[in-house]
Amino acid sequence: MEFERLEAGYERRTLVRGDDFEVVECRWSQGQESKQHGHGMSSCMVYVQEGEFLNQSFWSGEVRSETFVTAQTIVTPVGVTHSLRCLSGNGRTLHVYSPPLADPKSVVAHTGVGDLRLSEEAMPLASLMRTLRDVKALSVPTHSSRFMNQLFSGVHPEALLADQVASQTRTTLATREASPVLSEIEDEVVEALGREIGWGNGQRAGVSVPGGSMANFMALHLARQALAPTSKSAGLKDVGPFATFVSEQAHYSLKKAAVVLGFGIDSVVAVRSNAAGRMDVKHLEKCIQEAEDQGRASLAVVATSGTTVLGAFDPITEIHAITESKKIWLHVDAAWGGPALFTDRLKAQVKGIHLADSVTFDAHKLFGSSLTSSFLLTRHRSLLLDANDVSGADYLFHEDQAQKLDIGRISWQCGRGPDALSFWTLWKSRGTSGLSRMVDRLLDVRDELVSFIVKEPRLSLVADPSYLNVCVRIDPPKESTLDSKDWAVFVRTRLMEEKKAWVNYARDQDGRSFLRMILVHPDLNFSHAKELLTDALSVR
Amino acid sequence: MEFERLEAGYERRTLVRGDDFEVVECRWSQGQESKQHGHGMSSCMVYVQEGEFLNQSFWSGEVRSETFVTAQTIVTPVGVTHSLRCLSGNGRTLHVYSPPLADPKSVVAHTGVGDLRLSEEAMPLASLMRTLRDVKALSVPTHSSRFMNQLFSGVHPEALLADQVASQTRTTLATREASPVLSEIEDEVVEALGREIGWGNGQRAGVSVPGGSMANFMALHLARQALAPTSKSAGLKDVGPFATFVSEQAHYSLKKAAVVLGFGIDSVVAVRSNAAGRMDVKHLEKCIQEAEDQGRASLAVVATSGTTVLGAFDPITEIHAITESKKIWLHVDAAWGGPALFTDRLKAQVKGIHLADSVTFDAHKLFGSSLTSSFLLTRHRSLLLDANDVSGADYLFHEDQAQKLDIGRISWQCGRGPDALSFWTLWKSRGTSGLSRMVDRLLDVRDELVSFIVKEPRLSLVADPSYLNVCVRIDPPKESTLDSKDWAVFVRTRLMEEKKAWVNYARDQDGRSFLRMILVHPDLNFSHAKELLTDALSVR
């Protein structure tokens, strides 16, 4: 194929365009520069055949600049955009994309993934790979900045790189023997998070768990071990009944925990929250008193840092004053709000978190590592082992060889993958300072968005946001005959049907629906969020 | 670079060899053929520039042949070996490897992954990628056929492909809205496994769980819901105490389950097993009677299909005769032995499994899908919901839109990745018939190995293997002064230190150590296993 001159001046020709990869060659003169561009879900590798190039790559709103010369390779992972500028008199580059770059103008018609059923018959590799591509294409585009439906959004390049290593390494974190380096990596993430919380060296401990719900389960399990250690052997028959106090805005997993752990749903006492979604501490005191009067033992108080709907933070220090005087376990569910630890702008929201006995932290939410990257953290190291270690696994845990405790002994899982690797890779890549900037940048977007909302006649805030949840009421247009309480649900459904946006809704105490915008996509900026609301306002 | 003629006759030149990929061009004449070869952990994509080629790829001991012509791409995923033969008069091919092929003659010196600590500072991408490569290189080579230490070994290409899709799709299985296709895929795996077990349509149900341990936890949780449904609200205070009967060879996760679920370790009654490791049913009856006499309610009997050490199968039908008459929940822990369902040669071992109330199945063990690919299966569909559904998640589960039940409602996890995709991809690729052949092939290897062991003077079987665990005693050489009881441990350590093999050990009732060979690597053949034992015998 012949070289073709592009608008930017440099020339390009396709050497190979196969089903699964594409090789392109480019010729450059000094000063010529490609636009900032991404590659969809293709990986991009550029080999500098000749010359010197400035590569600028854009990660979560930040720029990294680096110079490459002849025989060096420039890798742009999936999820990163970049631009390339020729610094030498002439230059030649070879580009490999895998899979081939999709032409943004051609829409691939995915009518379905075909037959999902499993049967006797084998499927040839080419069909299998096509089917997997269809599975991807027909999935909800969570990588889009228009995806705000969950407490995560977007794809972080480090997460993809780490996943590939996890996948190829294929080992289990049960023993250090089977995963020497990966176990150390889990240790380091647990250590570093404990440090950010403010717990002392030697006391802080924790374990990677398969999701924030499981971290909450484990926290209540630790509380039980602390309060009624005999129950480990003898069960719950002769202890309790217990009461666990959570805000009415707390995550439903605490109820599941109560069922699974044998306390029963009735043990969960819902403490009132104020209009902003924060726990009413006066009411907490009253609830504890009532439970005591009923002869129930107070197992734990759970403070939520970052509620699912409003993003509210319960006042930890005030709650701790109560739990301390009454000797009750204090758990902080910071699955969503944990990143507040990383920025001065939100430190007040998690003030006192070091006073907690245990903390739930999800790195797959705001920080965007792989699902799941969850941690149960505690400042009671020996209790974590006491609560979870059982005998009967001599075939696996060979004490004579383990220099450090095998993580499997404190985990509820036996064989499991290196779930901590993804967050470790992200943290290593960005540094703590980079994680701080990720949060700050999103807070800036939020502030701009709030200013926009308060000026729009048909929009209003449900509560002044203290985090990255922006809950917004939307009035129906004058001509609408629909019940205005349901308008936000209608808007949300229309936006999803038209594949314009994925944003969740909830209802206030009066049953009125509102949109819950979650500002978490790594490349999100104000214009994305504003355009989404403009589309929402134009629904008729 | 110039073309170079290889021994096989065809010519080859490197166009580009960068840090992260390599492009190679080849020229062929009719009949020339590359040897059967793999590419380590590099992906290999071949574009046919001109000509016609026969590609033979080798998966788990099977051959797939396919012809490719000009402008087609031949993909050889990581984990697959292949050979290429030119069918036309002349041919030209372009090969892309990513990362570049490692030269087997050059040993890369990995002295360590450097500083694992997380700090303020960001790490440049190139260093990050180098660090991740080191993490991989310094991990235990579970992909090697010499890795027999765990109940899994080897890397299946389908698992890597599926992991990449999971990673890039980055969604949660909590709601069907967020994962329409991937939820259906989980449904299909659960359905297909239930079908293999022999449960009726409409009754069979299940859920993907993060590991076999968690499946066992959930099984006992279902048993509790069946026996004492009021405990869901009221807790365990007013019910029980319970007794759960497991073989003394059962997995330690059942004890962990008893602790976590609030029954206490004392509720777990260890039933004697015979020399082959099978549960003694007479002793089971006695244990149940004793527990009843003590006023304990029988919660569940757990039959193990494939014990961790000996690979023994408890007699399900006989156990069921007891559980049925006493109305006790019957759980089968088939985490390791589940694949016995797929071959006539092992059907007798799992006879009666359809009588179980619940079953644990791990696809990441013998079947080699990603860690973890575990399932809790049950024939009590509505109980699965009753036991696990709680209120308070209206923000997430929007009933008006869910046509089918959101999987999150029966799961202990909220946000989680598509763990079922890996096994689905493997099953789809091989077909049920291919899964059967995987098991049968390994049984053939076992049979050859057993014949070898019985003929070797210094080797003897601990028990006649009924599955893919070959437990073998090894006598010390005459000159050894070490306690002969510890000889197998010594051998094992030496083999690991010399990076010759990774094989676990256990001890018999007399404290004598033996090697536990797990025959599960997809490409394992008799010579691999024999060579490993020859190395073991040569330890001095």
Side-chain angles (χ1 to χ4, degrees):
Chain A
M1 235 178 263
E2 290 305 295
F3 277 103
E4 198 186 333
R5 187 171 294 279
L6 303 182
E7 229 176 285
Y10 64 98
E11 293 176 306
R12 182 186 198 279
R13 68 168 168 175
T14 302
L15 294 179
V16 167
R17 190 180 163 91
D19 272 355
D20 293 277
F21 71 100
E22 178 177 5
V23 185
V24 164
E25 194 177 9
C26 292
R27 287 199 300 223
W28 309 73
S29 302
Q30 195 160 32
Q32 289 175 342
E33 183 167 17
S34 71
K35 281 185 297 203
Q36 182 185 337
H37 64 284
H39 314 91
M41 279 292 161
S42 301
S43 71
C44 158
M45 295 175 288
V46 177
Y47 179 78
V48 180
Q49 294 178 290
E50 191 193 328
E52 186 179 355
F53 289 84
L54 174 72
N55 184 57
Q56 293 198 289
S57 56
F58 302 83
W59 303 49
S60 310
E62 297 192 12
V63 190
R64 295 184 180 199
S65 298
E66 217 177 337
T67 301
F68 293 86
V69 297
T70 305
Q72 287 189 316
T73 309
I74 307 164
V75 177
T76 307
V78 174
V80 173
T81 61
H82 78 143
S83 70
L84 212 55
R85 184 191 176 87
C86 183
L87 301 178
S88 47
N90 287 295
R92 279 189 309 126
T93 51
L94 198 78
H95 305 234
V96 176
Y97 305 103
S98 174
L101 289 179
D103 180 350
K105 278 168 278 174
S106 86
V107 177
V108 182
H110 288 279
T111 50
V113 288
D115 191 355
L116 295 177
R117 273 175 305 178
L118 298 164
S119 67
E120 279 296 312
E121 265 165 77
M123 183 182 249
L125 179 61
S127 314
L128 187 71
M129 291 183 71
R130 206 158 41 236
T131 301
L132 287 175
R133 272 200 290 269
D134 287 345
V135 166
K136 221 158 67 176
L138 287 165
S139 291
V140 175
T142 63
H143 57 270
S144 160
S145 58
R146 287 297 190 105
F147 181 80
M148 297 190 174
N149 201 60
Q150 253 69 28
L151 301 177
F152 63 85
S153 176
V155 174
H156 284 257
E158 292 96 336
L160 298 181
L161 293 171
D163 282 358
Q164 204 182 21
V165 171
S167 191
Q168 294 189 354
T169 309
R170 198 163 186 264
T171 192
T172 166
L173 274 275
T175 63
R176 289 177 189 272
E177 184 179 276
S179 54
V181 183
L182 291 163
S183 296
E184 275 186 67
I185 282 173
E186 179 165 332
D187 291 344
E188 175 57 16
V189 174
V190 164
E191 267 291 293
L193 284 172
R195 231 165 25 223
E196 293 297 327
I197 289 171
W199 286 331
N201 187 11
Q203 286 308 305
R204 56 186 181 239
V207 62
S208 167
V209 292
S213 289
M214 298 303 295
N216 284 342
F217 281 32
M218 211 178 208
L220 295 192
H221 174 65
L222 289 184
R224 188 256 306 266
Q225 183 69 19
L227 186 62
T230 57
S231 63
K232 184 179 181 184
S233 298
L236 295 175
K237 186 85 187 160
D238 302 323
V239 293
F242 296 109
T244 299
F245 307 90
V246 311
S247 138
E248 60 187 359
Q249 303 278 335
H251 194 255
Y252 72 93
S253 57
L254 293 157
K255 281 191 194 164
K256 278 209 180 181
V259 176
V260 168
L261 302 178
F263 309 129
I265 294 185
D266 297 347
S267 69
V268 181
V269 179
V271 180
R272 274 201 303 262
S273 58
N274 67 15
R278 283 164 76 92
M279 186 189 276
D280 176 341
V281 181
K282 283 264 171 295
H283 191 238
L284 170 64
E285 272 192 288
K286 191 161 164 274
C287 289
I288 295 174
Q289 194 53 57
E290 275 174 16
E292 282 182 6
D293 294 347
Q294 292 159 8
R296 299 206 274 170
S298 295
L299 180 73
V301 174
V302 179
T304 306
S305 286
T307 58
T308 46
V309 176
L310 294 172
F313 288 78
D314 290 338
I316 302 172
T317 312
E318 292 171 49
I319 292 169
H320 177 257
I322 298 168
T323 57
E324 195 186 27
S325 71
K326 300 226 168 225
K327 306 235 173 298
I328 308 174
W329 187 274
L330 173 58
H331 175 63
V332 175
D333 178 358
W336 167 226
L341 283 164
F342 288 77
T343 169
D344 290 338
R345 287 172 67 180
L346 293 174
K347 279 258 163 80
Q349 306 284 9
V350 285
K351 200 175 157 218
I353 194 168
H354 64 286
L355 302 167
D357 296 291
S358 56
V359 170
T360 290
F361 185 95
D362 280 2
H364 59 256
K365 294 193 160 90
L366 193 156
F367 283 144
S369 45
S370 317
L371 266 88
T372 55
S373 304
S374 299
F375 300 89
L376 181 276
L377 306 159
T378 178
R379 60 182 167 92
H380 303 284
R381 174 169 290 189
S382 58
L383 190 79
L384 188 59
L385 182 65
D386 289 346
N388 294 303
D389 196 28
V390 298
S391 64
D394 312 334
Y395 79 95
L396 183 65
F397 305 123
H398 301 309
E399 284 313 290
D400 47 326
Q401 295 175 340
Q403 287 147 13
K404 255 175 118 176
L405 192 71
D406 282 327
I407 304 180
R409 292 179 55 199
I410 54 171
S411 171
W412 288 4
Q413 298 176 279
C414 182
R416 67 183 169 101
D419 290 349
L421 179 64
S422 179
F423 185 42
W424 180 84
T425 306
L426 186 84
W427 194 337
K428 196 82 183 159
S429 167
R430 312 289 173 107
T432 310
S433 57
L435 297 183
S436 306
R437 288 195 303 275
M438 271 175 69
V439 187
D440 287 343
R441 219 185 57 76
L442 292 166
L443 289 172
D444 289 342
V445 173
R446 178 201 68 185
D447 292 345
E448 272 194 276
L449 185 66
V450 164
S451 307
F452 171 79
I453 290 168
V454 296
K455 280 187 223 138
E456 271 297 314
R458 282 177 55 210
L459 301 178
S460 60
L461 290 169
V462 174
D464 211 24
S466 43
Y467 196 43
L468 297 163
N469 313 38
V470 177
C471 290
V472 54
R473 291 197 192 91
I474 179 164
D475 292 334
K478 285 203 189 74
E479 67 271 27
S480 162
T481 55
L482 202 81
D483 186 340
S484 68
K485 282 186 173 173
D486 294 328
W487 184 252
V489 185
F490 179 73
V491 168
R492 182 234 185 196
T493 308
R494 277 285 291 281
L495 291 175
M496 276 174 60
E497 281 167 359
E498 293 174 8
K499 298 194 188 304
K500 280 187 177 161
W502 290 262
V503 54
N504 218 332
Y505 75 91
R507 290 182 188 272
D508 62 20
Q509 283 167 328
D510 303 326
R512 187 171 170 192
S513 64
F514 55 86
L515 298 177
R516 182 193 71 164
M517 297 175 77
I518 298 292
L519 309 181
V520 69
H521 190 285
D523 297 320
L524 190 77
N525 57 42
F526 169 58
S527 65
H528 295 132
K530 181 185 148 189
E531 281 161 23
L532 191 151
L533 281 178
T534 309
D535 282 347
L537 286 167
S538 73
V539 168
R540 285 293 181 270
Chain B
M1 237 178 260
E2 289 307 295
F3 277 102
E4 197 185 333
R5 189 171 295 278
L6 302 183
E7 230 176 284
Y10 64 96
E11 295 176 306
R12 184 184 195 281
R13 68 166 169 176
T14 301
L15 294 180
V16 166
R17 188 177 163 93
D19 271 356
D20 293 278
F21 71 101
E22 177 177 7
V23 185
V24 164
E25 194 174 11
C26 292
R27 288 198 300 221
W28 309 72
S29 300
Q30 197 160 31
Q32 290 175 340
E33 184 167 16
S34 70
K35 283 184 296 203
Q36 182 185 334
H37 65 283
H39 314 91
M41 279 292 162
S42 301
S43 72
C44 158
M45 297 177 286
V46 178
Y47 179 78
V48 180
Q49 294 179 291
E50 192 192 328
E52 188 178 354
F53 288 83
L54 175 71
N55 183 57
Q56 293 197 289
S57 56
F58 302 82
W59 304 48
S60 310
E62 298 194 9
V63 190
R64 296 182 178 199
S65 299
E66 219 177 337
T67 301
F68 292 86
V69 297
T70 307
Q72 288 189 315
T73 309
I74 306 166
V75 177
T76 308
V78 174
V80 173
T81 61
H82 79 143
S83 70
L84 213 54
R85 182 191 177 85
C86 183
L87 300 177
S88 47
N90 288 296
R92 282 189 307 126
T93 51
L94 199 78
H95 304 233
V96 177
Y97 304 103
S98 172
L101 288 179
D103 181 350
K105 278 167 280 175
S106 84
V107 176
V108 182
H110 287 279
T111 49
V113 288
D115 191 357
L116 294 177
R117 272 176 304 178
L118 298 163
S119 67
E120 278 295 313
E121 264 167 74
M123 183 182 249
L125 178 62
S127 314
L128 187 71
M129 291 182 73
R130 206 157 42 234
T131 302
L132 287 175
R133 272 199 292 269
D134 287 345
V135 166
K136 222 158 67 177
L138 288 165
S139 292
V140 176
T142 64
H143 58 271
S144 160
S145 58
R146 288 296 191 105
F147 181 81
M148 296 189 174
N149 201 61
Q150 253 68 29
L151 301 177
F152 63 85
S153 177
V155 175
H156 284 257
E158 292 95 336
L160 297 181
L161 293 172
D163 282 357
Q164 202 181 25
V165 172
S167 190
Q168 294 189 355
T169 308
R170 196 161 190 267
T171 191
T172 167
L173 275 276
T175 63
R176 288 176 190 272
E177 185 179 275
S179 54
V181 183
L182 290 163
S183 296
E184 273 185 69
I185 282 173
E186 178 164 335
D187 291 345
E188 175 58 14
V189 173
V190 164
E191 267 291 292
L193 284 172
R195 228 162 31 221
E196 294 297 326
I197 289 171
W199 287 331
N201 187 10
Q203 287 306 304
R204 56 186 181 238
V207 63
S208 168
V209 292
S213 290
M214 298 304 295
N216 284 343
F217 280 32
M218 211 180 206
L220 295 193
H221 173 66
L222 289 183
R224 189 256 305 267
Q225 183 68 18
L227 187 62
T230 56
S231 63
K232 183 179 181 182
S233 298
L236 295 174
K237 187 84 187 159
D238 302 323
V239 294
F242 296 110
T244 299
F245 307 90
V246 312
S247 140
E248 59 187 1
Q249 304 277 336
H251 194 255
Y252 72 92
S253 57
L254 293 157
K255 281 190 196 162
K256 276 208 182 183
V259 177
V260 168
L261 302 178
F263 308 130
I265 294 185
D266 298 347
S267 69
V268 181
V269 179
V271 180
R272 275 202 301 263
S273 58
N274 66 16
R278 283 163 74 93
M279 186 189 277
D280 176 342
V281 181
K282 284 265 172 293
H283 190 238
L284 170 64
E285 270 191 291
K286 191 162 162 271
C287 290
I288 294 174
Q289 194 54 56
E290 275 174 16
E292 282 181 7
D293 293 346
Q294 293 159 4
R296 299 206 274 169
S298 295
L299 180 72
V301 174
V302 179
T304 306
S305 285
T307 58
T308 45
V309 177
L310 295 171
F313 288 79
D314 290 338
I316 302 173
T317 311
E318 292 170 50
I319 293 170
H320 177 256
I322 298 168
T323 58
E324 195 187 26
S325 72
K326 299 227 169 225
K327 306 235 173 298
I328 308 174
W329 188 274
L330 174 57
H331 175 63
V332 175
D333 178 357
W336 167 227
L341 284 164
F342 288 76
T343 170
D344 289 339
R345 288 172 65 180
L346 292 174
K347 278 257 162 82
Q349 307 284 11
V350 286
K351 201 175 156 216
I353 195 169
H354 65 285
L355 302 167
D357 295 291
S358 56
V359 171
T360 290
F361 186 96
D362 280 2
H364 60 256
K365 294 194 160 91
L366 195 154
F367 284 145
S369 45
S370 318
L371 263 89
T372 55
S373 303
S374 300
F375 300 89
L376 181 276
L377 306 159
T378 179
R379 61 182 167 92
H380 304 283
R381 173 168 293 189
S382 58
L383 189 79
L384 187 59
L385 182 64
D386 289 346
N388 295 303
D389 197 27
V390 298
S391 64
D394 310 336
Y395 79 95
L396 183 66
F397 305 124
H398 300 309
E399 284 312 291
D400 46 326
Q401 296 175 340
Q403 286 147 17
K404 255 175 121 176
L405 192 70
D406 282 327
I407 303 179
R409 292 179 56 198
I410 54 172
S411 171
W412 287 5
Q413 299 174 279
C414 182
R416 67 181 170 104
D419 291 349
L421 180 65
S422 179
F423 185 41
W424 180 85
T425 305
L426 186 85
W427 195 336
K428 195 83 183 162
S429 167
R430 312 288 173 106
T432 311
S433 57
L435 297 183
S436 307
R437 287 195 304 275
M438 271 175 69
V439 187
D440 286 343
R441 219 185 56 77
L442 292 166
L443 290 172
D444 289 342
V445 173
R446 178 201 67 185
D447 291 346
E448 273 193 275
L449 185 65
V450 164
S451 308
F452 171 78
I453 290 168
V454 296
K455 281 186 226 138
E456 272 297 316
R458 285 177 53 212
L459 300 178
S460 61
L461 290 169
V462 174
D464 212 26
S466 43
Y467 195 44
L468 298 163
N469 312 40
V470 177
C471 291
V472 54
R473 290 196 192 90
I474 178 161
D475 291 335
K478 284 202 190 75
E479 67 271 26
S480 162
T481 55
L482 202 81
D483 186 341
S484 69
K485 282 186 174 175
D486 295 328
W487 184 252
V489 184
F490 179 74
V491 168
R492 182 231 186 200
T493 307
R494 278 285 291 280
L495 291 175
M496 276 174 60
E497 281 167 1
E498 293 174 8
K499 297 194 189 303
K500 280 187 177 161
W502 291 260
V503 55
N504 218 333
Y505 76 91
R507 290 182 188 272
D508 62 21
Q509 282 166 329
D510 303 326
R512 187 171 170 194
S513 65
F514 55 85
L515 299 177
R516 182 194 70 166
M517 298 176 77
I518 297 293
L519 310 180
V520 68
H521 190 285
D523 298 320
L524 190 78
N525 57 42
F526 168 58
S527 64
H528 296 132
K530 183 185 145 187
E531 282 161 22
L532 190 152
L533 281 179
T534 309
D535 284 346
L537 286 167
S538 72
V539 169
R540 284 293 179 271

